[in-house]
């Protein structure tokens, strides 16, 4: 490694552990880690760019090599040392070169810094401090995060955590890879012109933004959607960056998706799993997008027997004990989704919510919802559910979340003749007395004792018949969660996508079940929808659905950047999907994602009933 990009330091390293006459850029070098770790440097000079609670940052003389940062963190917790310098001071100092990673963050990258600074001398004051203006001086790449994400699914590839940046310590390729780009500015003062917020602030008031530079995946609200890039690999949106706590103690504003902020100048650091810009001072809100959420254009028809409108909504731990929550979801379904004929619901809690008291039935939760919808719109839904075994399906302890359907009984009913399944009954495809296909338990759960469903929600399958006799089959699913996954900008590459192996086998179980229907009737009308907790760009997880089920967005030709139902970190992303069988696909499908929750303004974020956006589709059964 030294012989390739750091040959000149070899002599220094061998000669002594005390080095003189070096520059900040020598310390940073062109790779992730410093070539001079452990060395004590003397007479290091630079201009102070910013001060923080744990030291200050300097900028040294720049070099033409864009892989090499000329910014550096000078770490000290000694306030008297910090008090000796001010931004604009030309200083010289000595100290030890270190790669710092905070305790308890083994998946973080290290920060190059000088610790134990000493001999601080201020040569002059009020020198010009010139930030790098991103978008003018340097621009981030827009597709990939790391050269180590080598699989076909890029940052979403499996196996995950197959290599580590810290171990490889490759020479940076800042024009190609986002993590390399931000690393090449580590410790440097940068300006983000015209930042636009990509999400609500997190619980620490930190906000993801893009700036005035080229981006890909831009959606109509101003967010960055996970899409497939031109190279056919998932686009990880490396051109976004998170704005941390302002260095002067001011507070970031309550931004939300699409909000325009004043220019941000701050220092690039790595902490809490991501490259951050720590602003000198909090930005202010300059522009806000229109607060209105469009209502769906997909309308239910009582007279068209062939056409069905299908809603899908993860209602986030709904309990009858929170009328505000129930009424909020009811208003969404009645007003913004315009009462679809059937709604696939996920995260319906039992009648006593998260109280861990052995209650599993959720009929009060569902009747509270359907009553609330009726009082808003006059539409009366019936509901069906299968209660899980107490605390066996994951989610909030005691809550017993399950999937359920609400549906318009005057338009269609469950195919009669077979019993409702219990929590451990496995439903199968059978013929009824008329020779038509139905399920042995209707509704019933799919293979509920299979290992794929351990500690996770079992899919709810149902066979339906319209008043004029057309049959269709539905599977409502809620796959195991991603929680505990590694940050997208962490050390492990590709990032650890927790539960992806379980989600993959869950999708395989559903695929096998759907195939048993299609074996009996290749033209069966089948809708599989719900919260998959996975993006279709994680193609390895969806392989088993290939040529069996087709995603509504794909059939409808929805612009890929508008395919999102969730905001997480920098990304607008789609966790919720509606898939249909070939027969339905052949008649055309329409679908819309209604951003009732993720377009919420900052005033309403805490009051929004769910963090998922619902979807509405129109399908034709005949
Ligand atoms: C290097 O720093 C030391 C300690 O601050 C100082 O005494 C010395 O004059 C400096 N040497 C040069 C060449 O600047
Ligand atoms: C992902 O990484 C974790 C942690 O290294 C490992 O336990 C898991 O098996 C990996 N899963 C996949 C699907 O690569
Ligand atoms: C990645 O794998 C290594 C072992 O190779 C393990 O020590 C580390 O914890 C894993 N990282 C994550 C984020 O799971
Ligand atoms: C936020 O939403 C609430 C409720 O819909 C509305 O009253 C308020 O005017 C909105 N505020 C902004 C800044 O859009
Ligand atoms: C809920 O289920 C219980 C037990 O089957 C039943 O007694 C009750 O009437 C149901 N309530 C509603 C509102 O459906």
């Amino acid at each position: 490694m030294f012989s390739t990009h750091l040959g000149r330091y070899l002599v220094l390293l061998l000669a002594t552990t005390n080095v003189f006459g070096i520059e900040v850029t020598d310390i940073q070098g062109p790779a992730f880690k410093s070539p001079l770790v452990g060395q004590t440097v003397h007479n290091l000079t630079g201009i102070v760019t910013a001060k923080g609670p744990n030291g200050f940052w300097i900028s040294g003389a720049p070099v033409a090599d864009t892989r090499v940062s000329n910014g550096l963190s000078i770490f000290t917790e000694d306030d008297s040392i910090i008090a000796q310098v001010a931004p604009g001071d030309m200083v010289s100092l000595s100290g030890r070169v270190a790669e710092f990673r905070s305790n308890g963050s083994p998946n973080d990258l290290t920060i190059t810094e000088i610790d134990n600074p000493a001999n601080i001398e201020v040569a002059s004051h009020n020198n010009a401090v010139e930030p790098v203006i991103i978008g003018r001086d340097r621009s981030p790449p827009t597709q990939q995060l790391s050269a180590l994400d080598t699989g076909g699914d890029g940052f979403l590839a499996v196996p995950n955590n197959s290599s580590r940046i810290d171990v490889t310590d490759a020479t940076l390729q800042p024009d190609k890879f986002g993590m390399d780009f931000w690393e090449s500015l580590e410790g440097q003062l940068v300006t983000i012109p015209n930042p636009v917020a990509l999400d609500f602030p997190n619980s620490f008031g930190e906000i993801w933004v893009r700036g005035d530079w080229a981006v890909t995946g831009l959606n109509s609200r101003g967010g960055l959607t996970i899409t497939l890039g031109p190279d056919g690999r998932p686009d990880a949106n490396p051109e976004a960056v998170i704005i941390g706590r302002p260095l002067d103690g001011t507070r970031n504003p309550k931004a939300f998706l699409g909000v325009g902020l004043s220019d941000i100048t701050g220092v690039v650091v790595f902490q809490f799993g991501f490259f951050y810009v720590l602003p000198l001072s909090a930005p202010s809100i300059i522009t806000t997008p229109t607060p209105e959420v469009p209502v769906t254009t997909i309308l239910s028809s009582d007279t068209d027997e062939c056409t069905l409108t299908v809603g899908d909504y993860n209602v986030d731990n709904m309990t009858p004990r929170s009328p505000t929550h129930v009424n909020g979801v009811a208003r969404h379904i009645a007003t913004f989704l315009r009462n679809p004929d059937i709604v696939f619901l996920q995260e319906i809690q039992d009648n006593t919510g998260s109280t861990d008291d052995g209650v599993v039935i959720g009929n009060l939760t569902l009747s509270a919802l359907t009553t609330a919808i009726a009082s808003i719109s006059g539409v009366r839904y019936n509901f069906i559910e299968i209660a899980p075994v107490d605390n066996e399906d994951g989610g909030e302890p005691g809550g017993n979340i399950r999937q359920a359907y609400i549906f318009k009984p005057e338009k269609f009913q469950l195919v009669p003749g077979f019993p409702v399944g219990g929590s451990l009954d496995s439903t199968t495809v059978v013929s009824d007395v008329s020779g038509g296909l139905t399920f042995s338990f209707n509704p019933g759960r799919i293979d509920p004792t299979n290992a794929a469903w351990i500690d996770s929600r079992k899919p709810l399958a149902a066979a339906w018949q319209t008043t004029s006799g057309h049959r269709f089959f539905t599977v409502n699913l809620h796959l195991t969660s991603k929680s505990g996954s590694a940050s997208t900008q962490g050390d492990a590459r590709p990032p650890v996508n927790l539960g992806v192996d379980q989600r993959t086998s869950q999708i395989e179980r559903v695929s096998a079940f759907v195939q048993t229907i299609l074996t009996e009737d290749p033209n069966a009308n089948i809708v599989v929808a719900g919260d998959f907790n996975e993006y279709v760009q994680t193609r390895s997880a969806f392989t088993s659905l290939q040529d069996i089920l087709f995603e509504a967005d794909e059939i409808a030709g929805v612009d890929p950047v508008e395919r999102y139902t969730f905001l997480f970190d920098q990304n607008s992303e789609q966790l919720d999907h509606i898939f249909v069988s070939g027969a339905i696909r052949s008649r055309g499908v329409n679908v819309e994602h209604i951003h009732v929750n993720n377009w919420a303004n900052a005033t309403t974020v805490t009051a929004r009933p769910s963090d998922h956006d619902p979807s509405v589709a129109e399908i034709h059964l005949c």
Side-chain angles (χ1 to χ4, degrees):
M1 182 182 71
F2 288 114
S3 60
T4 54
H5 51 247
L6 296 166
R8 58 180 284 216
Y9 304 120
L10 196 53
V11 176
L12 291 172
L13 284 169
L14 291 175
T16 171
T17 57
N18 284 286
V19 287
F20 290 82
I22 67 147
E23 300 281 358
V24 167
T25 47
D26 297 328
I27 293 171
Q28 284 287 5
F32 279 90
K33 294 202 270 191
S34 173
L36 296 175
V37 176
Q39 306 292 299
T40 296
V41 296
H42 297 281
N43 305 83
L44 178 67
T45 59
I47 296 170
V48 175
T49 52
K51 290 167 65 163
N54 295 316
F56 55 96
W57 289 268
I58 61 172
S59 77
V63 289
D65 187 344
T66 57
R67 299 173 302 183
V68 182
S69 173
N70 68 318
L72 188 62
S73 166
I74 312 298
F75 174 82
T76 175
E77 282 172 323
D78 183 341
D79 291 343
S80 69
I81 293 184
I82 301 172
Q84 288 173 37
V85 302
D89 285 357
M90 171 67 80
V91 296
S92 108
L93 53 84
S94 60
R96 195 178 62 120
V97 178
E99 286 291 339
F100 171 76
R101 177 192 288 121
S102 67
N103 286 337
S105 302
N107 195 43
D108 274 8
L109 301 188
T110 55
I111 292 184
T112 306
E113 65 182 24
I114 298 293
D115 60 17
N116 300 318
N119 304 321
I120 296 177
E121 283 174 14
V122 177
S124 61
H125 302 293
N126 299 320
N127 295 282
V129 174
E130 302 279 3
V132 172
I133 298 178
I134 307 183
R136 188 195 72 183
D137 302 331
R138 300 280 309 280
S139 290
T142 65
Q143 308 285 328
Q144 303 295 322
L145 282 165
S146 167
L148 299 182
D149 300 342
T150 49
D153 285 352
F155 81 112
L156 299 172
V158 290
N160 53 213
N161 194 14
S162 51
S163 51
R164 293 172 57 200
I165 287 180
D166 195 53
V167 173
T168 310
D169 192 26
T171 305
L172 303 181
Q173 300 181 68
D175 297 335
K176 281 206 181 111
F177 302 107
M179 292 180 69
D180 302 44
F181 173 82
W182 296 107
E183 175 73 25
S184 77
L185 293 169
E186 185 204 67
Q188 206 146 351
L189 191 72
V190 300
T191 293
I192 300 173
N194 301 318
V196 175
L198 300 175
D199 199 343
F200 300 102
N202 65 17
S203 56
F204 303 100
E206 302 164 345
I207 316 167
W208 281 93
V209 301
R210 63 184 165 85
D212 202 354
W213 54 74
V215 298
T216 54
L218 185 64
N219 61 49
S220 65
R221 195 62 169 186
L224 299 181
T225 307
I226 295 180
T227 53
L228 287 183
D231 61 353
R233 300 164 77 212
D235 176 329
N237 294 326
E239 66 270 41
V241 68
I242 183 166
I243 306 304
R245 188 174 290 201
L247 291 167
D248 66 354
T250 52
R251 283 167 179 260
N252 288 325
K254 293 198 160 118
F256 50 97
L257 180 64
V259 161
L261 301 168
S262 56
D263 291 358
I264 294 167
T265 294
V267 181
V268 176
V269 303
F270 192 98
Q271 59 179 15
F272 312 128
F274 297 100
F275 286 99
Y276 274 68
V277 170
L278 298 182
L280 300 179
S281 192
S284 52
I285 291 181
I286 305 282
T287 59
T288 55
T290 55
E292 292 83 35
V293 174
V295 299
T296 186
T297 63
I298 296 175
L299 298 182
S300 160
S301 158
D302 290 341
T303 52
D304 182 354
E305 280 277 340
C306 280
T307 301
L308 203 63
T309 57
V310 178
D312 176 43
Y313 197 176
N314 178 330
V315 296
D316 191 11
N317 287 322
M318 180 181 283
T319 148
R321 295 184 166 176
S322 173
T324 317
H325 188 159
V326 172
N327 291 332
V329 169
R331 193 173 73 85
H332 285 166
I333 292 174
T335 311
F336 292 96
L337 309 190
R338 293 191 176 175
N339 298 305
D341 296 329
I342 181 169
V343 184
F344 292 53
L345 298 168
Q346 300 88 39
E347 296 204 13
I348 298 292
Q349 290 197 339
D350 64 41
N351 288 349
T352 58
S354 58
T355 306
D356 198 356
D357 54 3
V359 170
V360 290
I361 188 168
N363 66 346
L364 297 185
T365 317
L366 288 159
S367 68
L369 176 64
T370 52
T371 303
I373 295 172
S375 74
I376 296 168
S377 64
V379 172
R380 299 196 171 274
Y381 283 101
N382 280 8
F383 59 81
I384 57 168
E385 63 160 353
I386 294 177
V389 176
D390 192 27
N391 283 329
E392 288 295 317
D393 281 14
E396 191 178 13
N400 289 312
I401 50 171
R402 84 291 317 269
Q403 300 89 283
Y405 298 99
I406 60 173
F407 63 99
K408 294 178 179 166
E410 64 281 3
K411 197 154 180 183
F412 49 87
Q413 298 271 2
L414 288 168
V415 176
F418 290 87
V420 174
S423 26
L424 298 177
D425 291 327
S426 182
T427 196
T428 54
V429 180
V430 292
S431 297
D432 66 7
V433 283
S434 72
L437 291 185
T438 184
F439 295 147
S440 60
F441 294 99
N442 193 27
R445 300 175 111 195
I446 297 174
D447 204 2
T449 56
N450 190 289
W453 305 112
I454 287 174
D455 213 24
S456 178
R457 278 71 48 186
K458 286 68 178 166
L460 181 63
W464 308 88
Q465 186 166 286
T466 66
T467 38
S468 58
H470 293 288
R471 286 198 181 177
F472 64 98
F473 306 92
T474 60
V475 177
N476 182 353
L477 49 74
H478 182 188
L479 306 186
T480 196
S481 108
K482 275 186 182 311
S483 82
S485 292
S487 91
T488 51
Q489 297 182 355
D491 183 30
R493 309 309 310 173
V496 173
N497 178 358
L498 220 76
V500 67
D501 21 16
Q502 190 176 359
R503 284 188 291 283
T504 304
S505 57
Q506 291 181 336
I507 295 174
E508 285 164 4
R509 300 316 330 136
V510 171
S511 173
F513 179 79
V514 167
Q515 286 181 71
T516 64
I517 309 173
L518 293 171
T519 303
E520 298 299 323
D521 178 6
N523 293 316
N525 290 314
I526 307 168
V527 182
V528 175
D531 177 0
F532 285 65
N533 268 313
E534 195 56 85
Y535 336 112
V536 289
Q537 291 81 12
T538 307
R539 287 171 289 199
S540 62
F542 288 85
T543 315
S544 63
L545 296 187
Q546 196 112 48
D547 302 326
I548 292 165
L549 291 172
F550 308 89
E551 196 181 16
D553 290 272
E554 200 61 34
I555 303 166
V558 174
D559 185 341
V561 298
E562 305 304 338
R563 300 180 193 179
Y564 64 95
T565 60
F566 201 77
L567 303 182
F568 189 72
D569 291 337
Q570 67 272 57
N571 298 316
S572 300
E573 58 193 38
Q574 190 174 4
L575 297 176
D576 307 88
H577 307 277
I578 299 173
F579 281 86
V580 301
S581 57
I584 293 177
R585 176 177 71 150
S586 67
R587 301 183 197 107
V589 168
N590 192 5
V591 66
E592 293 172 353
H593 307 295
I594 312 297
H595 304 292
V596 283
N597 294 310
N598 286 309
W599 284 10
N601 64 44
T603 327
T604 53
V605 62
T606 48
R608 62 184 182 151
S610 176
D611 44 0
H612 289 250
D613 286 325
S615 306
V616 188
E618 178 182 84
I619 62 167
H620 305 283
L621 301 175
C622 39

